[in-house]
Amino acid sequence: MNNNSKTKKTVDASKYALVDLHLHLDGSLKADDMLQMARMEGVEIPTDREVLKHMLICPEVCQSLNEYLECFKLPLSVMQTRNTIIYSMESMVLRLDKEGLIYAEIRYAPQQHTVKGLTQDDVVEASIEGLNRGLSKCKNGFTANIILSCLRGGDNEANMETVRMARKYIGQGVVAIDLAGAEALYPTANYRELFAYARQLDVPFTLHAGEAAGVESIHLAIDYGARRIDHGIRSYNDAATRERIKRMDICLAFTPTSNLQTKAIPGVVHIKDYPIRVFLDDQVPCCINTDNITVSNTTLKHEFQKLFDAGLLTPEDAETIVISAIRHTFISPKEQEKLIEKAKVRMGI
């Protein structure tokens, strides 16, 4: 790998910031979105944008994933009606199109948006309408789909309902389910039946694993049938686990900034020490994502740029990462090939 400073300075990270597969809707909306949705819902929130940003962005010194998750309370408080859900998804789609992405899989947990009486069915229909409204206005050829998140620590029946919603709306904008939340408090072992149900209904899934818990969580995700794993970074020091991930062709959806913020990698606090090279050198499928644009105060371009500047990526690595991301999307092989061709043109390969 060429780590000289000239190479770092000449890399255009925007060429590779094309596909985001790990993007939470509620953690990625802007302060202006919060203000607009609060007006729509009749909810009082601070109107000073700097105060809002302080509430929405992860503290500079974050102690854990649990503290990181506190930043989601405000967005969820103003996403409880059909109109605000439509607005939030449309706004997110248009933002990603403007930033130059070609594809994203945007996720949220329907059960978190039922406080004011909406059903999960209502919520999913509204999000699909927002998705379609946004896509109809995109000017740069951006496309997207939705992943419905189940919740660690959530009501079991609500999680099962989310799986049913995914089955109902697959092919209409929904492509998969996810399991998100406090991994250390609610172990992956607790969700065996949930994923058995997803397999029974033929619903594809990813899940958060190997972020706040160790490789045992990753192995369970594989056992359950995950086609992607969100994070999985805890396998950086376990060659056997990395080999299994590679052999099963499972893609690890890395989020470098949020991993550092949540202390996902014990002892690693600087981007220069982020262990992505271990995975790239072992040819383990992986991709780069934002996780939460607002909470982590980042963009996909910034995530790539940080890795380039730290000497952890070459342009060839970045090309591999983008193609791997597309090959591990929850869309059809034909759609994947079209995206790959578009990505190659954008990357100049």
Side-chain angles (χ1 to χ4, degrees):
M1 181 179 66
N2 187 345
N3 286 338
N4 64 65
S5 59
K6 181 178 179 181
T7 300
K8 296 177 195 174
K9 291 179 180 178
T10 57
V11 173
D12 179 7
S14 64
K15 289 174 58 177
Y16 310 100
L18 302 178
V19 179
D20 199 337
L21 301 183
H22 187 169
L23 171 63
H24 293 267
L25 176 64
D26 46 357
S28 299
L29 297 166
K30 298 181 292 186
D32 285 344
D33 292 322
M34 296 298 108
L35 291 169
Q36 176 62 23
M37 290 189 293
R39 287 190 290 267
M40 293 168 70
E41 289 212 9
V43 174
E44 290 189 8
I45 64 172
T47 57
D48 185 296
R49 283 171 174 76
E50 291 307 311
V51 173
L52 276 180
K53 289 178 182 177
H54 180 74
M55 297 173 69
L56 295 169
I57 297 173
C58 175
E60 186 171 339
V61 181
C62 180
Q63 298 303 318
S64 66
L65 174 61
N66 295 338
E67 183 177 353
Y68 184 87
L69 294 175
E70 288 293 308
C71 297
F72 291 81
K73 289 183 177 179
L74 177 62
L76 290 173
S77 74
V78 295
M79 298 172 68
Q80 297 298 331
T81 65
R82 183 175 183 278
N83 287 337
T84 51
I85 292 165
I86 292 171
Y87 174 90
S88 65
M89 186 64 77
E90 179 179 355
S91 178
M92 190 75 260
V93 166
L94 292 173
R95 180 179 182 182
L96 297 175
D97 178 59
K98 186 176 181 180
E99 290 180 0
L101 275 68
I102 62 172
Y103 182 75
E105 290 178 353
I106 305 167
R107 69 186 69 190
Y108 71 92
Q111 63 188 273
Q112 291 188 307
H113 303 274
T114 60
V115 172
K116 293 185 177 179
L118 293 178
T119 65
Q120 287 200 42
D121 213 326
D122 296 330
V123 174
V124 177
E125 284 192 351
S127 70
I128 292 172
E129 182 170 341
L131 176 75
N132 290 333
R133 285 189 187 186
L135 293 176
S136 72
K137 298 175 184 178
C138 288
K139 299 178 180 179
N140 303 306
F142 173 73
T143 59
N145 282 295
I146 296 168
I147 294 175
L148 302 181
S149 293
C150 300
L151 294 177
R152 293 179 186 270
D155 177 77
N156 185 56
E157 181 49 40
N159 281 338
M160 293 294 191
E161 178 68 8
T162 300
V163 178
R164 289 191 287 273
M165 288 299 99
R167 178 64 269 167
K168 179 177 179 179
Y169 290 102
I170 277 183
Q172 302 177 55
V174 173
V175 289
I177 64 162
D178 164 42
L179 177 66
E183 183 186 12
L185 297 178
Y186 305 99
T188 301
N190 295 354
Y191 300 93
R192 186 179 303 275
E193 291 184 5
L194 177 70
F195 291 110
Y197 188 49
R199 292 196 307 274
Q200 178 185 333
L201 295 186
D202 197 25
V203 173
F205 55 88
T206 179
L207 68 150
H208 292 59
E211 177 188 20
V215 295
E216 69 282 352
S217 184
I218 297 170
H219 283 286
L220 284 172
I222 298 172
D223 292 343
Y224 294 163
R227 287 168 49 182
R228 282 203 317 258
I229 294 176
D230 300 306
H231 303 298
I233 194 68
R234 289 288 187 96
S235 60
Y236 79 100
N237 61 355
D238 190 309
T241 301
R242 295 196 305 276
E243 177 57 32
R244 188 182 185 202
I245 294 166
K246 177 182 176 180
R247 185 174 67 253
M248 300 293 291
D249 191 31
I250 295 168
C251 185
L252 301 181
F254 293 146
T255 60
T257 296
S258 79
N259 286 163
L260 295 181
Q261 290 169 326
T262 64
K263 308 298 186 291
I265 316 163
V268 174
V269 296
H270 299 294
I271 194 69
K272 65 181 178 62
D273 298 317
Y274 193 74
I276 190 171
R277 283 250 50 100
V278 173
F279 298 91
L280 292 172
D281 292 344
D282 282 355
Q283 298 182 316
V284 176
C286 62
C287 58
I288 303 303
N289 311 270
T290 54
D291 202 353
N292 299 282
I293 295 172
T294 300
V295 176
S296 286
N297 196 24
T298 192
T299 65
L300 191 56
K301 176 182 175 180
H302 290 160
E303 293 299 295
F304 273 94
Q305 194 65 61
K306 290 173 185 176
L307 295 171
F308 280 127
D309 291 347
L312 297 176
L313 282 187
T314 66
E316 293 76 19
D317 293 326
E319 292 167 4
T320 298
I321 284 169
V322 173
I323 300 303
S324 184
I326 295 172
R327 293 204 182 281
H328 290 88
T329 56
F330 290 112
I331 57 178
S332 71
K334 184 176 180 180
E335 291 173 301
Q336 289 177 359
E337 291 305 320
K338 289 181 179 179
L339 269 184
I340 288 171
E341 289 307 309
K342 183 181 290 188
K344 286 182 176 180
V345 170
R346 290 280 292 274
M347 293 188 292
I349 60 175

PDB file of all heavy atoms in Angstrom, residues 121-154:
ATOM      1  N   ASP A 121     -48.364  -0.851  10.099  1.00  0.00           N
ATOM      2  CA  ASP A 121     -48.794  -0.813   8.698  1.00  0.00           C
ATOM      3  C   ASP A 121     -48.877   0.630   8.206  1.00  0.00           C
ATOM      4  O   ASP A 121     -48.388   0.971   7.117  1.00  0.00           O
ATOM      5  CB  ASP A 121     -50.161  -1.492   8.567  1.00  0.00           C
ATOM      6  CG  ASP A 121     -50.330  -2.207   7.231  1.00  0.00           C
ATOM      7  OD1 ASP A 121     -49.785  -1.709   6.232  1.00  0.00           O
ATOM      8  OD2 ASP A 121     -50.997  -3.248   7.188  1.00  0.00           O
ATOM      9  N   ASP A 122     -49.480   1.518   9.005  1.00  0.00           N
ATOM     10  CA  ASP A 122     -49.580   2.937   8.648  1.00  0.00           C
ATOM     11  C   ASP A 122     -48.187   3.536   8.452  1.00  0.00           C
ATOM     12  O   ASP A 122     -47.947   4.298   7.507  1.00  0.00           O
ATOM     13  CB  ASP A 122     -50.290   3.728   9.751  1.00  0.00           C
ATOM     14  CG  ASP A 122     -51.733   3.323   9.967  1.00  0.00           C
ATOM     15  OD1 ASP A 122     -52.378   2.885   8.993  1.00  0.00           O
ATOM     16  OD2 ASP A 122     -52.205   3.444  11.118  1.00  0.00           O
ATOM     17  N   VAL A 123     -47.301   3.209   9.374  1.00  0.00           N
ATOM     18  CA  VAL A 123     -45.954   3.777   9.356  1.00  0.00           C
ATOM     19  C   VAL A 123     -45.201   3.351   8.098  1.00  0.00           C
ATOM     20  O   VAL A 123     -44.580   4.172   7.405  1.00  0.00           O
ATOM     21  CB  VAL A 123     -45.168   3.363  10.617  1.00  0.00           C
ATOM     22  CG1 VAL A 123     -43.716   3.837  10.526  1.00  0.00           C
ATOM     23  CG2 VAL A 123     -45.824   3.934  11.872  1.00  0.00           C
ATOM     24  N   VAL A 124     -45.257   2.061   7.791  1.00  0.00           N
ATOM     25  CA  VAL A 124     -44.524   1.561   6.627  1.00  0.00           C
ATOM     26  C   VAL A 124     -45.095   2.156   5.341  1.00  0.00           C
ATOM     27  O   VAL A 124     -44.343   2.574   4.452  1.00  0.00           O
ATOM     28  CB  VAL A 124     -44.544   0.023   6.588  1.00  0.00           C
ATOM     29  CG1 VAL A 124     -43.840  -0.477   5.330  1.00  0.00           C
ATOM     30  CG2 VAL A 124     -43.865  -0.545   7.831  1.00  0.00           C
ATOM     31  N   GLU A 125     -46.410   2.231   5.236  1.00  0.00           N
ATOM     32  CA  GLU A 125     -47.018   2.830   4.044  1.00  0.00           C
ATOM     33  C   GLU A 125     -46.582   4.275   3.885  1.00  0.00           C
ATOM     34  O   GLU A 125     -46.287   4.729   2.771  1.00  0.00           O
ATOM     35  CB  GLU A 125     -48.536   2.740   4.125  1.00  0.00           C
ATOM     36  CG  GLU A 125     -49.089   1.354   3.843  1.00  0.00           C
ATOM     37  CD  GLU A 125     -50.590   1.357   3.636  1.00  0.00           C
ATOM     38  OE1 GLU A 125     -51.222   2.409   3.883  1.00  0.00           O
ATOM     39  OE2 GLU A 125     -51.121   0.316   3.208  1.00  0.00           O
ATOM     40  N   ALA A 126     -46.535   5.020   4.987  1.00  0.00           N
ATOM     41  CA  ALA A 126     -46.110   6.421   4.929  1.00  0.00           C
ATOM     42  C   ALA A 126     -44.657   6.537   4.493  1.00  0.00           C
ATOM     43  O   ALA A 126     -44.300   7.404   3.682  1.00  0.00           O
ATOM     44  CB  ALA A 126     -46.316   7.089   6.285  1.00  0.00           C
ATOM     45  N   SER A 127     -43.810   5.649   5.008  1.00  0.00           N
ATOM     46  CA  SER A 127     -42.392   5.723   4.637  1.00  0.00           C
ATOM     47  C   SER A 127     -42.187   5.402   3.168  1.00  0.00           C
ATOM     48  O   SER A 127     -41.345   6.008   2.492  1.00  0.00           O
ATOM     49  CB  SER A 127     -41.555   4.795   5.513  1.00  0.00           C
ATOM     50  OG  SER A 127     -41.806   3.433   5.225  1.00  0.00           O
ATOM     51  N   ILE A 128     -42.974   4.464   2.645  1.00  0.00           N
ATOM     52  CA  ILE A 128     -42.872   4.136   1.224  1.00  0.00           C
ATOM     53  C   ILE A 128     -43.348   5.311   0.380  1.00  0.00           C
ATOM     54  O   ILE A 128     -42.747   5.622  -0.657  1.00  0.00           O
ATOM     55  CB  ILE A 128     -43.676   2.856   0.916  1.00  0.00           C
ATOM     56  CG1 ILE A 128     -43.020   1.645   1.575  1.00  0.00           C
ATOM     57  CG2 ILE A 128     -43.799   2.643  -0.594  1.00  0.00           C
ATOM     58  CD1 ILE A 128     -43.849   0.372   1.488  1.00  0.00           C
ATOM     59  N   GLU A 129     -44.404   5.968   0.831  1.00  0.00           N
ATOM     60  CA  GLU A 129     -44.860   7.153   0.095  1.00  0.00           C
ATOM     61  C   GLU A 129     -43.785   8.235   0.095  1.00  0.00           C
ATOM     62  O   GLU A 129     -43.515   8.866  -0.931  1.00  0.00           O
ATOM     63  CB  GLU A 129     -46.150   7.697   0.703  1.00  0.00           C
ATOM     64  CG  GLU A 129     -46.691   8.908  -0.058  1.00  0.00           C
ATOM     65  CD  GLU A 129     -48.083   9.321   0.370  1.00  0.00           C
ATOM     66  OE1 GLU A 129     -48.803   8.502   0.979  1.00  0.00           O
ATOM     67  OE2 GLU A 129     -48.468  10.477   0.071  1.00  0.00           O
ATOM     68  N   GLY A 130     -43.139   8.450   1.238  1.00  0.00           N
ATOM     69  CA  GLY A 130     -42.057   9.430   1.301  1.00  0.00           C
ATOM     70  C   GLY A 130     -40.895   9.045   0.413  1.00  0.00           C
ATOM     71  O   GLY A 130     -40.294   9.895  -0.259  1.00  0.00           O
ATOM     72  N   LEU A 131     -40.570   7.750   0.396  1.00  0.00           N
ATOM     73  CA  LEU A 131     -39.505   7.247  -0.472  1.00  0.00           C
ATOM     74  C   LEU A 131     -39.828   7.560  -1.928  1.00  0.00           C
ATOM     75  O   LEU A 131     -38.989   8.106  -2.662  1.00  0.00           O
ATOM     76  CB  LEU A 131     -39.343   5.744  -0.269  1.00  0.00           C
ATOM     77  CG  LEU A 131     -38.336   5.031  -1.166  1.00  0.00           C
ATOM     78  CD1 LEU A 131     -36.910   5.340  -0.721  1.00  0.00           C
ATOM     79  CD2 LEU A 131     -38.568   3.519  -1.149  1.00  0.00           C
ATOM     80  N   ASN A 132     -41.027   7.228  -2.351  1.00  0.00           N
ATOM     81  CA  ASN A 132     -41.404   7.439  -3.750  1.00  0.00           C
ATOM     82  C   ASN A 132     -41.470   8.909  -4.114  1.00  0.00           C
ATOM     83  O   ASN A 132     -41.076   9.307  -5.221  1.00  0.00           O
ATOM     84  CB  ASN A 132     -42.741   6.747  -4.033  1.00  0.00           C
ATOM     85  CG  ASN A 132     -42.620   5.233  -4.022  1.00  0.00           C
ATOM     86  OD1 ASN A 132     -41.557   4.686  -4.299  1.00  0.00           O
ATOM     87  ND2 ASN A 132     -43.702   4.543  -3.695  1.00  0.00           N
ATOM     88  N   ARG A 133     -41.954   9.738  -3.192  1.00  0.00           N
ATOM     89  CA  ARG A 133     -41.979  11.186  -3.450  1.00  0.00           C
ATOM     90  C   ARG A 133     -40.560  11.711  -3.650  1.00  0.00           C
ATOM     91  O   ARG A 133     -40.304  12.500  -4.560  1.00  0.00           O
ATOM     92  CB  ARG A 133     -42.646  11.922  -2.289  1.00  0.00           C
ATOM     93  CG  ARG A 133     -44.148  11.804  -2.232  1.00  0.00           C
ATOM     94  CD  ARG A 133     -44.695  12.753  -1.174  1.00  0.00           C
ATOM     95  NE  ARG A 133     -46.116  12.565  -0.952  1.00  0.00           N
ATOM     96  CZ  ARG A 133     -46.849  13.346  -0.164  1.00  0.00           C
ATOM     97  NH1 ARG A 133     -46.294  14.360   0.493  1.00  0.00           N
ATOM     98  NH2 ARG A 133     -48.148  13.112  -0.004  1.00  0.00           N
ATOM     99  N   GLY A 134     -39.680  11.284  -2.778  1.00  0.00           N
ATOM    100  CA  GLY A 134     -38.299  11.737  -2.892  1.00  0.00           C
ATOM    101  C   GLY A 134     -37.649  11.275  -4.181  1.00  0.00           C
ATOM    102  O   GLY A 134     -37.014  12.058  -4.893  1.00  0.00           O
ATOM    103  N   LEU A 135     -37.818   9.989  -4.494  1.00  0.00           N
ATOM    104  CA  LEU A 135     -37.189   9.446  -5.704  1.00  0.00           C
ATOM    105  C   LEU A 135     -37.708  10.127  -6.961  1.00  0.00           C
ATOM    106  O   LEU A 135     -36.963  10.309  -7.931  1.00  0.00           O
ATOM    107  CB  LEU A 135     -37.416   7.943  -5.775  1.00  0.00           C
ATOM    108  CG  LEU A 135     -36.711   7.092  -4.705  1.00  0.00           C
ATOM    109  CD1 LEU A 135     -37.095   5.630  -4.843  1.00  0.00           C
ATOM    110  CD2 LEU A 135     -35.196   7.259  -4.779  1.00  0.00           C
ATOM    111  N   SER A 136     -38.969  10.526  -6.953  1.00  0.00           N
ATOM    112  CA  SER A 136     -39.543  11.188  -8.130  1.00  0.00           C
ATOM    113  C   SER A 136     -38.930  12.565  -8.374  1.00  0.00           C
ATOM    114  O   SER A 136     -39.017  13.108  -9.479  1.00  0.00           O
ATOM    115  CB  SER A 136     -41.059  11.321  -7.977  1.00  0.00           C
ATOM    116  OG  SER A 136     -41.400  12.295  -6.996  1.00  0.00           O
ATOM    117  N   LYS A 137     -38.294  13.121  -7.343  1.00  0.00           N
ATOM    118  CA  LYS A 137     -37.697  14.455  -7.453  1.00  0.00           C
ATOM    119  C   LYS A 137     -36.173  14.424  -7.582  1.00  0.00           C
ATOM    120  O   LYS A 137     -35.548  15.477  -7.734  1.00  0.00           O
ATOM    121  CB  LYS A 137     -38.073  15.296  -6.225  1.00  0.00           C
ATOM    122  CG  LYS A 137     -39.575  15.524  -6.066  1.00  0.00           C
ATOM    123  CD  LYS A 137     -39.875  16.263  -4.771  1.00  0.00           C
ATOM    124  CE  LYS A 137     -41.385  16.416  -4.559  1.00  0.00           C
ATOM    125  NZ  LYS A 137     -41.691  17.090  -3.259  1.00  0.00           N
ATOM    126  N   CYS A 138     -35.586  13.240  -7.501  1.00  0.00           N
ATOM    127  CA  CYS A 138     -34.128  13.141  -7.584  1.00  0.00           C
ATOM    128  C   CYS A 138     -33.649  13.545  -8.983  1.00  0.00           C
ATOM    129  O   CYS A 138     -34.239  13.154  -9.983  1.00  0.00           O
ATOM    130  CB  CYS A 138     -33.666  11.717  -7.258  1.00  0.00           C
ATOM    131  SG  CYS A 138     -33.813  11.287  -5.517  1.00  0.00           S
ATOM    132  N   LYS A 139     -32.560  14.270  -9.019  1.00  0.00           N
ATOM    133  CA  LYS A 139     -32.040  14.798 -10.278  1.00  0.00           C
ATOM    134  C   LYS A 139     -30.773  14.085 -10.751  1.00  0.00           C
ATOM    135  O   LYS A 139     -30.293  14.331 -11.846  1.00  0.00           O
ATOM    136  CB  LYS A 139     -31.758  16.289 -10.129  1.00  0.00           C
ATOM    137  CG  LYS A 139     -32.984  17.121  -9.791  1.00  0.00           C
ATOM    138  CD  LYS A 139     -32.629  18.591  -9.617  1.00  0.00           C
ATOM    139  CE  LYS A 139     -33.872  19.413  -9.284  1.00  0.00           C
ATOM    140  NZ  LYS A 139     -33.527  20.858  -9.095  1.00  0.00           N
ATOM    141  N   ASN A 140     -30.230  13.203  -9.894  1.00  0.00           N
ATOM    142  CA  ASN A 140     -28.928  12.607 -10.221  1.00  0.00           C
ATOM    143  C   ASN A 140     -28.956  11.092 -10.341  1.00  0.00           C
ATOM    144  O   ASN A 140     -27.919  10.437 -10.272  1.00  0.00           O
ATOM    145  CB  ASN A 140     -27.907  13.029  -9.165  1.00  0.00           C
ATOM    146  CG  ASN A 140     -27.788  14.543  -9.057  1.00  0.00           C
ATOM    147  OD1 ASN A 140     -27.558  15.218 -10.049  1.00  0.00           O
ATOM    148  ND2 ASN A 140     -27.971  15.076  -7.853  1.00  0.00           N
ATOM    149  N   GLY A 141     -30.141  10.524 -10.474  1.00  0.00           N
ATOM    150  CA  GLY A 141     -30.233   9.077 -10.674  1.00  0.00           C
ATOM    151  C   GLY A 141     -30.112   8.243  -9.423  1.00  0.00           C
ATOM    152  O   GLY A 141     -29.873   7.033  -9.492  1.00  0.00           O
ATOM    153  N   PHE A 142     -30.289   8.854  -8.254  1.00  0.00           N
ATOM    154  CA  PHE A 142     -30.208   8.122  -6.994  1.00  0.00           C
ATOM    155  C   PHE A 142     -31.407   7.191  -6.830  1.00  0.00           C
ATOM    156  O   PHE A 142     -32.530   7.517  -7.217  1.00  0.00           O
ATOM    157  CB  PHE A 142     -30.174   9.115  -5.833  1.00  0.00           C
ATOM    158  CG  PHE A 142     -30.267   8.491  -4.464  1.00  0.00           C
ATOM    159  CD1 PHE A 142     -29.190   7.799  -3.942  1.00  0.00           C
ATOM    160  CD2 PHE A 142     -31.429   8.589  -3.714  1.00  0.00           C
ATOM    161  CE1 PHE A 142     -29.266   7.214  -2.678  1.00  0.00           C
ATOM    162  CE2 PHE A 142     -31.521   8.015  -2.456  1.00  0.00           C
ATOM    163  CZ  PHE A 142     -30.432   7.332  -1.939  1.00  0.00           C
ATOM    164  N   THR A 143     -31.169   6.003  -6.271  1.00  0.00           N
ATOM    165  CA  THR A 143     -32.246   5.085  -5.926  1.00  0.00           C
ATOM    166  C   THR A 143     -32.056   4.600  -4.488  1.00  0.00           C
ATOM    167  O   THR A 143     -30.947   4.672  -3.941  1.00  0.00           O
ATOM    168  CB  THR A 143     -32.287   3.863  -6.870  1.00  0.00           C
ATOM    169  OG1 THR A 143     -31.030   3.170  -6.799  1.00  0.00           O
ATOM    170  CG2 THR A 143     -32.553   4.295  -8.307  1.00  0.00           C
ATOM    171  N   ALA A 144     -33.134   4.103  -3.885  1.00  0.00           N
ATOM    172  CA  ALA A 144     -33.054   3.666  -2.490  1.00  0.00           C
ATOM    173  C   ALA A 144     -34.150   2.674  -2.180  1.00  0.00           C
ATOM    174  O   ALA A 144     -35.156   2.576  -2.896  1.00  0.00           O
ATOM    175  CB  ALA A 144     -33.165   4.872  -1.552  1.00  0.00           C
ATOM    176  N   ASN A 145     -33.951   1.946  -1.097  1.00  0.00           N
ATOM    177  CA  ASN A 145     -34.966   1.048  -0.548  1.00  0.00           C
ATOM    178  C   ASN A 145     -34.957   1.171   0.967  1.00  0.00           C
ATOM    179  O   ASN A 145     -34.120   1.890   1.548  1.00  0.00           O
ATOM    180  CB  ASN A 145     -34.698  -0.391  -0.981  1.00  0.00           C
ATOM    181  CG  ASN A 145     -35.138  -0.651  -2.414  1.00  0.00           C
ATOM    182  OD1 ASN A 145     -36.328  -0.586  -2.737  1.00  0.00           O
ATOM    183  ND2 ASN A 145     -34.189  -0.950  -3.291  1.00  0.00           N
ATOM    184  N   ILE A 146     -35.876   0.470   1.603  1.00  0.00           N
ATOM    185  CA  ILE A 146     -36.086   0.581   3.049  1.00  0.00           C
ATOM    186  C   ILE A 146     -35.809  -0.758   3.729  1.00  0.00           C
ATOM    187  O   ILE A 146     -36.202  -1.818   3.228  1.00  0.00           O
ATOM    188  CB  ILE A 146     -37.532   1.020   3.347  1.00  0.00           C
ATOM    189  CG1 ILE A 146     -37.789   2.434   2.799  1.00  0.00           C
ATOM    190  CG2 ILE A 146     -37.830   0.966   4.844  1.00  0.00           C
ATOM    191  CD1 ILE A 146     -39.266   2.814   2.796  1.00  0.00           C
ATOM    192  N   ILE A 147     -35.131  -0.684   4.876  1.00  0.00           N
ATOM    193  CA  ILE A 147     -34.970  -1.828   5.774  1.00  0.00           C
ATOM    194  C   ILE A 147     -35.768  -1.522   7.040  1.00  0.00           C
ATOM    195  O   ILE A 147     -35.648  -0.428   7.610  1.00  0.00           O
ATOM    196  CB  ILE A 147     -33.492  -2.068   6.118  1.00  0.00           C
ATOM    197  CG1 ILE A 147     -32.710  -2.499   4.871  1.00  0.00           C
ATOM    198  CG2 ILE A 147     -33.355  -3.110   7.224  1.00  0.00           C
ATOM    199  CD1 ILE A 147     -31.219  -2.643   5.094  1.00  0.00           C
ATOM    200  N   LEU A 148     -36.582  -2.464   7.484  1.00  0.00           N
ATOM    201  CA  LEU A 148     -37.366  -2.288   8.707  1.00  0.00           C
ATOM    202  C   LEU A 148     -36.626  -2.913   9.880  1.00  0.00           C
ATOM    203  O   LEU A 148     -36.314  -4.107   9.859  1.00  0.00           O
ATOM    204  CB  LEU A 148     -38.740  -2.946   8.549  1.00  0.00           C
ATOM    205  CG  LEU A 148     -39.592  -2.448   7.374  1.00  0.00           C
ATOM    206  CD1 LEU A 148     -40.939  -3.182   7.355  1.00  0.00           C
ATOM    207  CD2 LEU A 148     -39.807  -0.944   7.441  1.00  0.00           C
ATOM    208  N   SER A 149     -36.346  -2.107  10.893  1.00  0.00           N
ATOM    209  CA  SER A 149     -35.571  -2.578  12.046  1.00  0.00           C
ATOM    210  C   SER A 149     -36.469  -3.136  13.139  1.00  0.00           C
ATOM    211  O   SER A 149     -37.447  -2.506  13.543  1.00  0.00           O
ATOM    212  CB  SER A 149     -34.734  -1.432  12.622  1.00  0.00           C
ATOM    213  OG  SER A 149     -33.735  -1.028  11.729  1.00  0.00           O
ATOM    214  N   CYS A 150     -36.116  -4.308  13.625  1.00  0.00           N
ATOM    215  CA  CYS A 150     -36.646  -4.817  14.880  1.00  0.00           C
ATOM    216  C   CYS A 150     -35.748  -4.269  15.988  1.00  0.00           C
ATOM    217  O   CYS A 150     -34.643  -3.788  15.721  1.00  0.00           O
ATOM    218  CB  CYS A 150     -36.636  -6.340  14.882  1.00  0.00           C
ATOM    219  SG  CYS A 150     -37.618  -7.083  13.560  1.00  0.00           S
ATOM    220  N   LEU A 151     -36.201  -4.359  17.225  1.00  0.00           N
ATOM    221  CA  LEU A 151     -35.467  -3.718  18.320  1.00  0.00           C
ATOM    222  C   LEU A 151     -35.037  -4.709  19.390  1.00  0.00           C
ATOM    223  O   LEU A 151     -35.837  -5.515  19.877  1.00  0.00           O
ATOM    224  CB  LEU A 151     -36.329  -2.632  18.970  1.00  0.00           C
ATOM    225  CG  LEU A 151     -36.671  -1.425  18.109  1.00  0.00           C
ATOM    226  CD1 LEU A 151     -37.584  -0.481  18.884  1.00  0.00           C
ATOM    227  CD2 LEU A 151     -35.420  -0.693  17.656  1.00  0.00           C
ATOM    228  N   ARG A 152     -33.764  -4.631  19.752  1.00  0.00           N
ATOM    229  CA  ARG A 152     -33.299  -5.340  20.948  1.00  0.00           C
ATOM    230  C   ARG A 152     -33.988  -4.702  22.152  1.00  0.00           C
ATOM    231  O   ARG A 152     -34.016  -3.480  22.293  1.00  0.00           O
ATOM    232  CB  ARG A 152     -31.788  -5.196  21.095  1.00  0.00           C
ATOM    233  CG  ARG A 152     -30.998  -5.905  19.988  1.00  0.00           C
ATOM    234  CD  ARG A 152     -29.508  -5.689  20.190  1.00  0.00           C
ATOM    235  NE  ARG A 152     -28.730  -6.236  19.077  1.00  0.00           N
ATOM    236  CZ  ARG A 152     -28.251  -7.475  19.023  1.00  0.00           C
ATOM    237  NH1 ARG A 152     -28.484  -8.288  20.030  1.00  0.00           N
ATOM    238  NH2 ARG A 152     -27.551  -7.887  17.985  1.00  0.00           N
ATOM    239  N   GLY A 153     -34.564  -5.536  23.004  1.00  0.00           N
ATOM    240  CA  GLY A 153     -35.268  -5.016  24.173  1.00  0.00           C
ATOM    241  C   GLY A 153     -36.688  -4.597  23.870  1.00  0.00           C
ATOM    242  O   GLY A 153     -37.437  -4.214  24.778  1.00  0.00           O
ATOM    243  N   GLY A 154     -37.070  -4.652  22.589  1.00  0.00           N
ATOM    244  CA  GLY A 154     -38.426  -4.288  22.218  1.00  0.00           C
ATOM    245  C   GLY A 154     -39.402  -5.419  22.495  1.00  0.00           C
ATOM    246  O   GLY A 154     -39.017  -6.549  22.816  1.00  0.00           O
TER     247      GLY A 154
END
